[in-house]
Every structure is written in C-alpha cells, then in structure tokens.
Amino acid sequence: MTALTLYVYGLRCHLCLRLGADTRDHLIPKSKGGADTIDNCRPAHHRCNAKRQDRDLTPELLKEFRPDVIEISVDTSELFESDDVLDTPRSVHFLPEPHQKTTDREATETRAG
C-alpha cells in the first residue's frame, strides 16, 4: 500500500510539502476509524508521520510542519448578491497542493541532497 500511495500521489510529503516521502500517512487515522485505502492515504516522511501520530489534520497542526507557508485569504463577498447563497464561505484560502507529483530526477536530487 505504501508503494501504491507513493506511485499515485508522488514523493512530496503532504505534511511538510517537501520531497522525499517514504511512508504513507492516513488522512483519517486508523485509530479513529480511517480506512487503509488509497483515498485515505498520502505520502509522508517517516519523521513527519511519527510526529503527527494520530492527531487530526487541522490548520494548526499543519503549521507545525509548514512554518514557512503563508496563508493568503481572499475576500469573495463581492462575488455574491446575498449572504445566504448556498451558505457559501466568505473567504477562500489558497495553500500549495500537498500531493504534487514529482519527477524521478527531483526525487533523486532530494535523496542525494
């Protein structure tokens, strides 16, 4: 399952966003009812996976792993005519994609680095 997770999602750790992931991490921890399926797994470094343990993925937790990532908030209130349109959130947060595929060369450079 680890090899499949790394193949499907690449070698970028979903926690710290750096290359070189070598394990799989469960988005919903198995101890909290998460399934051992490809949809519930993402690449992670062994040290990041161990540091997370079975804590829920929250913005506060991710800040521990990504202190250099800046969250950008964009006000979208002008896009909607009223506040009750489908309970649409009033802001959108953009963060880097945690599971971008990497090339073999990038992964080799990261491991050698």
Side-chain angles (χ1 to χ4, degrees):
M1 184 58 93
T2 298
L4 180 60
T5 300
L6 298 175
Y7 176 78
V8 169
Y9 295 108
L11 299 176
R12 188 173 301 274
C13 176
H14 83 110
L15 296 167
C16 73
L17 302 179
R18 292 180 177 87
L19 291 173
D22 54 359
T23 66
R24 73 182 189 280
D25 182 39
H26 293 84
L27 298 175
I28 301 171
K30 289 174 64 175
S31 65
K32 295 183 178 183
D36 195 22
T37 62
I38 193 67
D39 293 338
N40 191 44
C41 292
R42 293 297 184 273
H45 294 108
H46 178 74
R47 68 182 180 279
C48 293
N49 201 343
K51 179 179 176 182
R52 178 189 172 198
Q53 299 176 351
D54 67 347
R55 296 183 288 168
D56 292 331
L57 283 176
T58 63
E60 293 77 25
L61 175 72
L62 292 176
K63 285 179 186 177
E64 289 181 34
F65 293 93
R66 308 171 188 176
D68 53 339
V69 173
I70 299 171
E71 183 176 318
I72 301 170
S73 181
V74 178
D75 184 9
T76 60
S77 59
E78 295 176 6
L79 300 176
F80 306 102
E81 294 179 13
S82 68
D83 289 337
D84 59 352
V85 177
L86 301 175
D87 295 325
T88 305
R90 306 316 288 164
S91 65
V92 178
H93 302 283
F94 297 95
L95 292 175
E97 285 294 320
H99 49 75
Q100 297 172 355
K101 292 206 176 202
T102 58
T103 64
D104 290 337
R105 183 177 180 188
E106 287 176 317
T108 303
E109 290 171 358
T110 300
R111 290 183 184 141

